[in-house]
Amino acid sequence: MSKLKELLTMTFTGLIALVLISACTSSEPRQKFTLRVGIFPVLDALPYFVMKERELAEKYGIAFEESAYPGGAAVLDALSAGKADVGPTIGTVPVLTAAERGMIPDKIIPAAANDFADPEHPGMAVLADNSINGWRDLDGKQIAVNAKNSITAAALIGRLKREGVRNCTLVEIEFPNMGLAVAGGNVAAAGLMEPFLSQSLLRGDGKLLDWVIGGPPFERFEYTMVVFNADIYRKRPAAVKAFLRAYLKAVSWIRQHPDEARLILGRALNLNPDVTRQIKLLRFTSDGRNDPALLESMQPLLIDIGMLKKRIPAGQLYDEKLLGEVLSERR
Amino acid sequence: MSKMRLSVKLPLLTIVSAGVTIVLIILLALLLIRHTVKETETAALANSLRGYESAIDFFLDEARSVIEITAQGKRIIEYSAAFPAGASTAAGRSAVDRDMRDLSQSILKNSRLFEYLMLANAEGVVYMIEPQRLHKALSRKDLAFASWYKKLIESGRTVTSDLHISTATQRPTVVVATPVRDRRGRIIGIWAGGINLTTLSHIGIPEELPVGTSNRYGQVTDSRGLIIAHQGNLQYVREQTDFSSVPVIQAALRRETGTMQYISPIDGRDKLGAYMPLSDTGWSVTYVEPLSVALSPVYALTRNIGWIGALAVIVMGLGGVVIARQVIKPLERLKNGAVTIGAGDLTQRIEKAGTDEIGDLAAEFNRMAESLSEKDLQLRNYINRLENANKELEAFSYTVSHDLRAPLRHINGFVELLTNRFREALPEKGVHYLDAIADSARQMAALIDDLLQFSRSGRLEVQKIHLDMNHLLREVLESLKTEYAGRSIEWVVAKLPPVFGDRAMLRQVWFNLLHNAVKFTRKTDKARVEIGCREEGMELFFFVRDNGVGFDMQYAHKLFGVFQRLHATDDFEGTGIGLAHVRRIIAKHGGRTWAEAVLNQGAVFYFTLLKDKEGRQ
């Protein structure tokens, strides 16, 4: 009887050990919220890539359902149509035009600033064919922009105006194809952002004419914002706050580990390691606060080149209530 | 481990040795399997690559053939002739326009080789493009800037461009272009098609499946390492991702053929790849599989073997318990037998279990017990005889001592009477003789008293209790004060540990030793007596050191004998029983006694006591 008891004890001990081992190896991460993320996979999406790769989203209880779009404006359309919950890389110009169209705060709500450009962190440049030696050489030429209503186009037009070049044709070519378009002679120049700029320069597609964001006409610029679908923002504030917590954590990590952040960007965008090393990062602020003065000062030029009809008060552009609550948790 | 019981140790050893063996075998097997799978997968990749390269080559050949054959057709030649270089409108355009578009649509629809087809004049100006919607999207109608155009005009032959951005679609494209010649062989136009890179990426993938469904994929790059076709990810094609840093691509672009394992700098994954250049295009063709995918059967096998191994270890562990119990049971019987015998029951025997080593051991054990039993019987007989003899001796000695006291009392009595009544009548010499008789009688009485006490102490049982030696020592010193009254003795007494012993007997030991110390320092000017103890193993070493007359060490062996004296009675009184008494008491406590001395300088007397079983003294 005692032998049977001993055998049973050993068997149960073994089984418990097996159950414990399997329980430990298959433990599910804690997830509370699922957010549909509309992503334009460029440099601005770095915090999002960091959130994913460093599992910050899981840590803060978020699961992402990701959809890629060809530009910030397309993500904005998806947000307003309810096809996406959050767009972490929406350009400020699409946000301004959306405000003009009355979409804020009915359809979309920008909840935080994503990144900024300044002369130390330039955001967009003109890549020109090697035969182009100055702005005036672009007169009568074709120039590639990703979209004619984009900030690239706005910055380019503003700069061309300032340089006295008035007879250019803008051709819409996606960012990844611009370098080859310049190299192949399809266009004389292209308004390029990172990492495509570094990629094209390394490949010898053309030369850097000058920065147009982080340089004139937009020396300082609020580049992109984190925008939520309005319903999500109002009805699921806990999910929005969870995202903002993870986002701020990611930004803090990027500021502390810029080189590792470049590597994450390289992996996310399938970049050549040489390109990854050369990428110029934009300025990510640790508190995600918008800069109302900058948002106001950017607008006259946009109105001047016809991208905006009238000035929009910065206070009408965003809602930082939930961001403020998240920031107060840190204190 | 040495403190562990066999019933635990044996199954544990079984589990550990089985576990280690299983793990080693599994590791070795997995290494071999991994190597074989890798070799097989690499060979399979090389085969897939050959097939893939042929398919790509065939696709490009077909594209070239379609372009070249149709360029020699009547409709294209006539249509080109209608758009001579420098002409802005076509003569009779509407007549041939429909035919030309029908032809183009037919090629696009049936071959799926091209994304678009276009006809340009010899100067590179596009005047027909199908699908027609692209005509409006053309960012440049004049293609003379394009490198493929320049190459075509220079060579006068069909050319295949490198990857570039189409002015029609603004997307990456590869153009196959051929000159259109008139009857005299002059170039009158350029007939070109933009290869459908999505179709090219789909080559080698079953029709019903989309790109990216397989973990093994082929990829084609142009001479700069930019992706032209990719079976795994169309985004690489759309973005002409730069793969020039990928080792497998670099090897193919060096026009080498082979296989390798490498880490892709693009996604950081470990991969297996086969590579070769694509005929005469300068492009690379590679076939790749992530190592994790190639080895996934090994990983699955590892998991399964791991579980089976764990199960085997558990089964072996249980088997070990059963076997251990079989082995331990007779050993337990042996141990119990030994315990019983150790407790004194020499009649105990062990039941013999089997004919193995343990059975032999049991038989030997029984033989040993038998022999021990016989010896024990002999020993008991000897002890009985000795005890009887001892008792007789003690009785004799007691009787003698006791019986001697009566005549001695008579002698003393009569000597006293003589002295009191006839002292005056006796001559001086007679008085002296009487005094000598009286002294001898007193001395004999003391001897008899000591002998009686010594004899009694041999019969007394030791009554052990926990004793405070310091307290006992203080009592003895107090009782000795009269012995050294008027003398100056320096007492050095250390703190003594408690002991487990007979209070009266140990008091006697201290009394005898300290009495001796006081006595033998009588003639020393500055007498000093030191009492102390040290601990060594399971024993306590007590000592009494004095700076008295000491003794010659050559007589040390006699010191603890009965009636042994090393000094003259005139110098130091005594019966010579005290130290014998000390030795007997200490021996009854399981201890030892001895002494060290230097003549006229002093002596040290030692005795030991055992600590009790609980570690107390």
Side-chain angles (χ1 to χ4, degrees), chain B residues 33-49 214-217 259-260 271-274 287-298:
Chain B
I33 292 168
R34 184 189 157 98
H35 180 74
T36 310
V37 168
K38 224 167 90 174
E39 292 288 308
T40 312
E41 283 296 316
T42 308
L45 281 176
N47 275 333
S48 299
L49 176 69
S214 173
N215 283 318
R216 301 169 83 242
Y217 47 83
T259 58
M260 67 164 73
K271 293 181 181 180
L272 292 175
Y287 214 86
V288 170
E289 182 176 27
L291 192 63
S292 59
V293 174
L295 297 180
S296 57
V298 181

Side-chain angles (χ1 to χ4, degrees), chain B residues 319-335:
Chain B
V321 171
V322 175
I323 292 166
R325 287 191 66 82
Q326 294 297 323
V327 173
I328 289 163
K329 205 181 276 179
L331 285 175
E332 284 280 345
R333 284 202 295 271
L334 264 176
K335 188 200 86 179

Side-chain angles (χ1 to χ4, degrees), chain A residues 2-3 6-7 10-11 14 18 21-22 41 142 171-173 176-177 180-181 184-186 199 203 266-267 269-273, chain B residues 139-140 145 163-167 170-172 224 226 236 238-242 244-245 265-267 307 314 318 321-322 325-326:
Chain A
S2 64
K3 190 204 282 184
E6 198 169 328
L7 280 171
M10 291 282 288
T11 312
L18 286 175
I21 290 165
S22 53
Q142 292 188 323
V171 179
E172 286 189 349
I173 298 178
N177 300 331
L180 274 195
N186 301 34
Q199 182 173 278
R203 205 162 55 193
R267 282 195 287 275
L269 301 179
N270 304 310
L271 299 176
N272 184 315
Chain B
S139 57
R140 291 184 71 166
F145 70 91
L163 191 73
H164 64 280
I165 302 302
S166 161
T167 54
Q170 314 303 345
R171 288 199 303 270
R224 293 163 296 181
L226 305 182
Y236 289 151
R238 283 197 290 268
E239 298 183 357
Q240 349 93 45
T241 306
D242 183 356
S244 61
S245 59
I266 302 294
D267 57 16
W307 284 117
I314 290 171
L318 292 175
V321 171
V322 175
R325 287 191 66 82
Q326 294 297 323

